[in-house]
Amino acid sequence: MIEPAVLEFSKIIGRQEKTRFPKALAADGREIEVQRTPPRSSQLQEFYYSSNLARGECGIRNSRSQSALLMNFDTTDFPYVWVFQSYGGWHNHYVLVLEPCTNIPYDLEIACRNGTCAQLLPHSAQRRTLTVRLQHF
């Protein structure tokens, strides 16, 4: 499932609703897909969370270079992935950030209230594992 992190920042997703990746809803209710990278000239930007992950995996494929950057993790360690995209729309940057994470939303106070964040008790330790690999196809 995906949902916008900050709807006011969104220029692709237009409704504060959970949808099944890669589908989302535009402001007019039309179904759109978020897995394609638009050109810088689009001036688009997006920031959304993924939750209820089918498996602990995220990544990006580049058909031009025939490569992919893939991340694998245990969903008990990282139950969410946030995706920040700027295709020229945010400070003219052209960037995609994928980050497996332990909380939703990004506001830690709200995440604690909602019970949607990892907690580390005093004098305790946790170990989390994330595997990153570059693949050529």
Side-chain angles (χ1 to χ4, degrees):
M1 301 302 290
I2 63 172
E3 63 185 291
V6 182
L7 190 59
E8 297 78 27
F9 182 83
S10 298
K11 290 187 179 177
I12 300 171
I13 298 174
R15 294 192 176 192
Q16 189 69 48
E17 295 182 33
K18 287 186 179 185
T19 56
R20 186 169 302 282
F21 180 84
K23 308 285 186 190
L25 297 175
D28 63 6
R30 164 180 57 90
E31 194 173 76
I32 55 174
E33 294 194 5
V34 295
Q35 86 269 24
R36 301 277 182 226
T37 304
R40 178 187 296 267
S41 61
S42 71
Q43 293 293 296
L44 294 172
Q45 60 193 42
E46 191 57 63
F47 181 18
Y48 65 83
Y49 282 101
S50 296
S51 60
N52 299 87
L53 304 172
R55 60 183 180 273
E57 181 177 276
C58 66
I60 184 167
R61 296 184 190 281
N62 184 323
S63 57
R64 190 183 69 222
S65 67
Q66 302 261 311
S67 63
L69 179 69
L70 303 170
M71 291 179 265
N72 295 91
F73 49 92
D74 189 318
T75 57
T76 57
D77 288 345
F78 301 101
Y80 314 105
V81 173
W82 66 261
V83 180
F84 176 87
Q85 305 160 301
S86 176
Y87 304 117
W90 183 71
H91 301 290
N92 202 36
H93 292 299
Y94 192 70
V95 64
L96 169 69
V97 179
L98 297 170
E99 183 177 323
C101 61
T102 59
N103 67 288
I104 185 174
Y106 65 90
D107 185 309
L108 195 52
E109 184 178 340
I110 294 170
C112 285
R113 262 197 322 260
N114 293 347
T116 54
C117 68
Q119 292 189 6
L120 181 62
L121 299 174
H123 310 290
S124 64
Q126 293 178 6
R127 179 182 207 118
R128 297 173 192 271
T129 302
L130 173 72
T131 303
V132 179
R133 63 190 158 99
L134 182 60
Q135 179 183 63
H136 292 279
F137 51 91

